[in-house]
Amino acid sequence: MLAVPYSPAMRFIRCLPALLLLLLLPVALAEARWEGSPTLERIAAAGEVRVGLTGDYKPFSWEEPEGHFEGLDVDMAEALAADLDARLVIVRTSWPTLMDDLAAGKFDIAMGGISITEARAAAAFFTDPILADGKAPIARCADKDRFQTLEEIDREGVTVIVNPGGTNEQFARANISRATLALHTNNATIFEEIVEGRADVMMTDAIETRIMAREHPELCAINPDKPFTRAEKAYLLPQDDVFKTRVDDWLGRLEAIGALQQTIRKWTGVRPE
């Protein structure tokens, strides 16, 4: 038998199929990650993930100055984009248009302190919850003893202020019949209405009452540890099972290493349940 010298060139040729497999494996795995998910396929094709935020709800997201977003869910959006190896694009939405904007495909996921409700869950998916909260009052500190219960709030001569389009308005309309209900469309300035005496009380998520009481010394959060209701907050998704699984997996990994809890404490000062 003729012996053929085993040269470096031949060694390379023999290894070529294995090398090609190694080179193609990451591509194949990446494609498999997106398979079956129109949302993930769009993110992969565009190289960007679009996150809907209202920019008016501390501590989750707020816009100040215009075009600059900060908050708990801005940090979370940046972390999600990094995990998806995509560029973050923040899309401004609002509470009245939130569901319509999702249905119109204006963003891939909505964040920013969204409560899970039956109506929303009927038209979209939610991730696993990130925290639980509930509705509580906030009023001028001089009046806090007047508004300890719903019965004390819902009285003639009391003006309850609320931002339209979300669970705050739903809760107020379900529980206020005697007091005057005043709608204020700008959630970023609504608490100044109470400070200035143009409204008496607002019922919103206990987390927000704590934040606003720190920002406005004239205001006091009333019993934020004993809210009137309990609701879970999560991220709003299109009805895409694979995308939901992917985002839930990301949240689970963050929770396992304590990063989710750390981000919540950073912006709220409260340990999540």
Side-chain angles (χ1 to χ4, degrees):
M1 180 182 293
L2 180 64
V4 179
Y6 193 63
S7 67
M10 291 184 63
R11 185 181 299 115
F12 175 79
I13 291 171
R14 288 197 176 192
C15 292
L16 190 58
L19 290 171
L20 288 173
L21 179 62
L22 289 174
L23 289 171
L24 292 174
L25 185 59
V27 176
L29 290 174
E31 289 178 351
R33 272 196 319 176
W34 315 127
E35 188 175 354
S37 168
T39 310
L40 288 171
E41 289 173 358
R42 195 215 66 79
I43 292 170
E48 64 181 28
V49 57
R50 301 167 303 165
V51 176
L53 292 171
T54 62
D56 65 355
Y57 182 14
K58 294 183 179 182
F60 297 98
S61 81
W62 69 94
E63 185 181 10
E64 188 180 13
E66 186 175 350
H68 176 71
F69 286 77
E70 292 185 358
L72 189 163
D73 279 332
V74 177
D75 283 2
M76 292 295 288
E78 291 172 348
L80 176 61
D83 197 71
L84 292 171
D85 193 24
R87 182 172 64 93
L88 172 62
V89 175
I90 293 177
V91 178
R92 189 184 295 104
T93 185
S94 70
W95 298 110
T97 65
L98 178 67
M99 298 305 296
D100 288 341
D101 289 347
L102 177 69
K106 292 185 178 180
F107 43 74
D108 305 303
I109 179 173
M111 298 179 166
I114 302 171
S115 297
I116 299 175
T117 67
E118 289 186 9
R120 288 169 175 166
F125 285 171
F126 278 100
T127 63
D128 292 336
I130 64 166
L131 57 83
D133 200 15
K135 302 302 179 189
I138 182 170
R140 291 181 297 277
C141 293
D143 295 331
K144 67 177 182 179
D145 292 337
R146 295 173 52 202
F147 302 125
Q148 295 290 310
T149 66
L150 279 172
E151 290 75 16
E152 292 172 330
I153 293 170
D154 188 23
R155 290 179 175 176
E156 292 184 4
V158 174
T159 298
V160 178
I161 195 166
V162 65
N163 58 311
T167 56
N168 286 346
E169 183 183 9
Q170 293 171 12
F171 180 79
R173 291 196 180 280
N175 291 278
I176 299 301
S177 59
R178 298 178 182 87
T180 300
L181 195 61
L183 294 182
H184 188 78
T185 57
N186 188 347
N187 199 44
T189 63
I190 196 168
F191 299 95
E192 296 171 13
E193 297 296 298
I194 305 173
V195 172
E196 297 298 327
R198 291 185 287 269
D200 296 307
V201 61
M202 179 180 180
M203 291 176 291
T204 184
D205 292 320
I207 286 177
E208 188 175 31
T209 67
R210 292 187 179 98
I211 299 293
M212 291 300 108
R214 291 202 293 264
E215 289 197 4
H216 301 280
E218 306 92 336
L219 301 182
C220 282
I222 301 172
N223 302 324
D225 295 326
K226 297 178 180 179
F228 297 140
T229 62
R230 185 184 185 280
E232 293 177 319
K233 294 193 179 297
Y235 300 140
L236 186 71
L237 310 170
Q239 292 178 325
D240 182 331
D241 292 289
V242 176
F243 186 45
K244 172 177 164 53
T245 299
R246 177 68 175 82
V247 179
D248 282 340
D249 173 74
W250 163 72
L251 284 172
R253 285 184 278 115
L254 287 186
E255 186 173 12
I257 63 174
L260 174 60
Q261 299 89 325
Q262 183 178 359
T263 302
I264 293 172
R265 285 196 299 271
K266 169 188 172 182
W267 290 101
T268 69
V270 177
R271 183 182 298 273
E273 294 183 13

